[in-house]
Amino acid sequence: MKAVDDYQDVRRAMVAEQLAAQGISCPRVLAAMRDVPRHLFVPRALITQAYDDTALGIDCGQTISQPYIVARMTEALELPAGEPLVLEVGTGSGYQAAVLAALGARVVTVEWIPALAERARAALEAAGLADRVLIVVGDGTAGVDDAGPYDGVLVTAGGAQIPRALLPRLRPGAALVLPLGEPGHQELVRLHHGAQGWVEESLGGCRFVPLRGPCGWEGE
Ligand code: SAH
């Protein structure tokens, strides 16, 4: 297997040709995407595809999100400088949490499937980012006791409803970014509390694995 640094050129190319070219412009997000070794977060058999701009299968029928979507969601949080605190629902491979950590955030990330939480922890350790990320096993849509308030919240699994329990955990002005809709037709939505109340913006179409629990699709 190649050393971590052997993938730097291919990561640079991914950032320039796939992310910047598709409109990601925040320098901090682009730098974090250049820094995080995505190949450590994909199954070994798929390592040659680690820097393609596609979602890939991980264990337990779940996926690691497409780099463009990770960058888009991270950018949409509009995190303050310094050391913002971010909640992620749906740890999956741990890659999104790693990108947030590389950007300087402290991350609380919740994963429903214990085996994935375990694997994500190992990948974050290999990437040298584990000290900035707390992984919790459970239903993230219920929030995490005593944690927050957050400077941003991401839900990285698709559901039918906004997990309302997370809204009071947002710091004033902070955004919740999540995929909403139906299994085959989801939209990335950004929600924040403006002067007149909650404001919902659409960031375009997307496709995520199902969110479990009461905010998920019926029968999932
Ligand atoms: N952010 C991930 C991709 C997430 S895939 C990455 O960067 O790789 C979606 C993940 O959400 C899956 O691992 C799934 O098990 C998890 N999930 C689904 N519903 C959940 C819930 N209610 N609480 C916590 N995790 C959930």
Side-chain angles (χ1 to χ4, degrees):
M1 190 175 147
K2 290 178 171 187
V4 168
D5 281 353
D6 292 345
Y7 289 91
Q8 259 175 6
D9 289 347
V10 71
R11 263 203 310 282
R12 261 174 220 285
M14 173 188 83
V15 168
E17 291 160 20
Q18 296 164 18
L19 305 185
Q22 286 185 81
I24 304 296
S25 61
C26 173
R28 292 162 69 207
V29 173
L30 292 171
M33 297 294 297
R34 247 188 319 262
D35 283 349
V36 177
R38 189 170 187 257
H39 62 278
L40 298 180
F41 295 85
V42 306
R44 202 163 274 232
L46 299 180
I47 214 155
T48 55
Q49 296 168 58
Y51 296 101
D52 293 353
D53 193 22
T54 52
L56 295 170
I58 56 174
D59 288 339
C60 310
Q62 306 304 314
T63 54
I64 173 172
S65 305
Q66 176 192 355
Y68 170 75
I69 291 290
V70 172
R72 184 84 178 95
M73 291 181 85
T74 308
E75 189 173 61
L77 286 178
E78 295 178 18
L79 292 173
E83 211 179 39
L85 181 64
V86 180
L87 173 70
E88 178 192 28
V89 178
T91 313
S93 67
Y95 177 66
Q96 171 74 73
V99 168
L100 291 164
L103 192 123
R106 284 177 300 125
V107 185
V108 177
T109 179
V110 189
E111 174 53 50
W112 185 286
I113 303 173
L116 288 182
E118 195 73 17
R119 239 153 263 173
R121 186 169 290 119
L124 284 158
E125 268 164 25
L129 294 163
D131 58 336
R132 308 192 64 82
V133 181
L134 172 69
I135 304 180
V136 178
V137 173
D139 176 9
T141 60
V144 176
D145 286 350
D146 300 330
Y150 300 103
D151 297 294
V153 176
L154 287 182
V155 179
T156 63
Q161 289 173 44
I162 295 166
R164 298 261 157 208
L166 301 178
L167 298 180
R169 310 307 299 150
L170 286 169
R171 218 185 270 286
L176 166 66
V177 177
L178 79 170
L180 276 182
E182 299 157 23
H185 180 77
Q186 302 159 44
E187 214 169 65
L188 208 51
V189 170
R190 179 182 198 273
L191 199 73
H192 77 281
H193 199 275
Q196 315 286 319
W198 290 101
V199 180
E200 203 175 307
E201 291 161 70
S202 170
L203 307 178
C206 61
R207 207 188 166 112
F208 279 83
V209 294
L211 181 68
R212 307 196 196 203
C215 299
W217 296 306
E218 224 169 286
E220 297 289 357

